[in-house]
Amino acid sequence: MREAYNVELENLATKLADMSVQVADAMERATKAMLESDLELAEQVISDDALVDDARADCEEQAYALLALQAPVATDLRIVLAAIHAAESLERMGDLALHVAKAARRRHPEPVLPEDVQPYFADMGKIVVKLARRVEQIIKTRDIEAARRLETEDDQVDDIHRHLFSVIMAKDWEHGVATAVDVTLLGRFYERYADHAVSVARRMVFVVTGRMPGYSTEEF
């Protein structure tokens, strides 16, 4: 029984890691679609979001079954509870990629962003996709040091996000209010995506140590 239970726990972790890959791919494609006004790629991200939703439902169903049938305690209980919360955060990451793709579709064939701010979003896209791919490895390895480093890397996204406000508020901003709103919303999507990646990493720290690192209530 114990061996079978451990296999189920590992299967649950594998599903979460697979979700990390899904949402990393989604944001990578959504960013490319936005920067290159690629409608076909945007549509792919939009249609694939249902797969992320299904993956979350599958993870939660298995987690609740483990709670109901096995009554786990200690580390096992932490794994199951962390999986439920992590699946929610990963689904939100998929939703945020979806929002980026929908912006690309909405503005097509025109570009979503003016050329002078595109490099900021290209940088944020690279960083957040890297965070999501590192989350995959953290889930697999439960490397708490890697999980803690993730939060430092998230600061890069926060810095770019803050800088965007100074860009759109500058006196020489010439792209109008509607574009400023787009830049603000899209910047927020990337910032929140990174926050959710950090949230998942923190859950893995909780699994290993039994203690949740400090966080703001907005993130969870």
Side-chain angles (χ1 to χ4, degrees), residues 2 5 9 63-81:
R2 181 64 197 178
Y5 185 61
L9 289 175
Y64 289 133
L66 288 169
L67 285 174
L69 299 176
Q70 301 293 340
V73 295
T75 301
D76 293 346
L77 180 59
R78 294 201 298 269
I79 292 171
V80 176
L81 294 177

Side-chain angles (χ1 to χ4, degrees), residues 116-117 120 162-176 180:
D116 51 342
V117 300
Y120 298 116
R162 282 192 294 268
H163 180 67
L164 284 171
F165 285 104
S166 66
V167 171
I168 64 176
M169 295 299 292
K171 292 181 179 179
D172 59 352
W173 177 258
E174 59 183 9
H175 306 294

Side-chain angles (χ1 to χ4, degrees), residues 2-218:
R2 181 64 197 178
E3 183 177 351
Y5 185 61
N6 286 336
V7 168
E8 288 298 313
L9 289 175
E10 288 301 317
N11 286 342
L12 183 57
T14 297
K15 290 178 180 179
L16 288 173
D18 289 345
M19 278 190 74
S20 300
V21 174
Q22 285 180 291
V23 300
D25 289 346
M27 185 56 95
E28 188 170 52
R29 292 167 182 159
T31 301
K32 181 178 175 65
M34 177 183 65
L35 295 175
E36 299 180 7
S37 299
D38 188 329
L39 181 59
E40 183 178 351
L41 195 56
E43 294 288 5
Q44 180 183 348
V45 174
I46 293 166
S47 62
D48 285 351
D49 183 64
L51 301 177
V52 178
D53 296 341
D54 290 344
R56 175 191 176 178
D58 189 24
C59 286
E60 289 186 339
E61 182 178 353
Q62 183 174 356
Y64 289 133
L66 288 169
L67 285 174
L69 299 176
Q70 301 293 340
V73 295
T75 301
D76 293 346
L77 180 59
R78 294 201 298 269
I79 292 171
V80 176
L81 294 177
I84 294 170
H85 287 285
E88 179 183 4
S89 287
L90 289 165
E91 188 203 16
R92 286 295 300 133
M93 291 165 73
D95 288 342
L96 291 162
L98 173 68
H99 295 333
V100 174
K102 284 185 174 180
R105 183 175 68 177
R106 183 175 66 252
R107 294 297 186 189
H108 188 271
E110 298 299 320
V112 180
L113 302 167
E115 289 186 9
D116 51 342
V117 300
Q118 287 183 11
Y120 298 116
F121 284 89
D123 288 343
M124 282 197 294
K126 290 176 183 176
I127 295 167
V128 301
V129 169
K130 181 173 69 173
L131 293 180
R133 298 203 188 283
R134 290 194 177 176
V135 164
E136 177 201 3
Q137 295 303 313
I138 290 167
I139 292 171
K140 289 180 176 179
T141 64
R142 298 182 194 168
D143 184 339
I144 61 173
E145 292 306 317
R148 288 166 175 157
R149 286 196 299 270
L150 201 74
E151 191 156 358
T152 301
E153 295 171 14
D154 168 57
D155 291 341
Q156 300 174 55
V157 179
D158 294 335
D159 291 342
I160 298 172
H161 183 236
R162 282 192 294 268
H163 180 67
L164 284 171
F165 285 104
S166 66
V167 171
I168 64 176
M169 295 299 292
K171 292 181 179 179
D172 59 352
W173 177 258
E174 59 183 9
H175 306 294
V177 174
T179 300
V181 170
D182 281 341
V183 170
T184 302
L185 288 175
L186 287 163
R188 178 62 170 166
F189 295 155
Y190 283 87
E191 188 255 348
R192 292 300 296 142
Y193 184 101
D195 284 348
H196 281 292
V198 171
S199 172
V200 177
R202 286 173 173 171
R203 294 291 172 185
M204 297 306 107
V205 175
F206 168 69
V207 167
V208 174
T209 67
R211 300 189 58 163
M212 178 65 73
Y215 60 85
S216 69
T217 55
E218 181 189 6

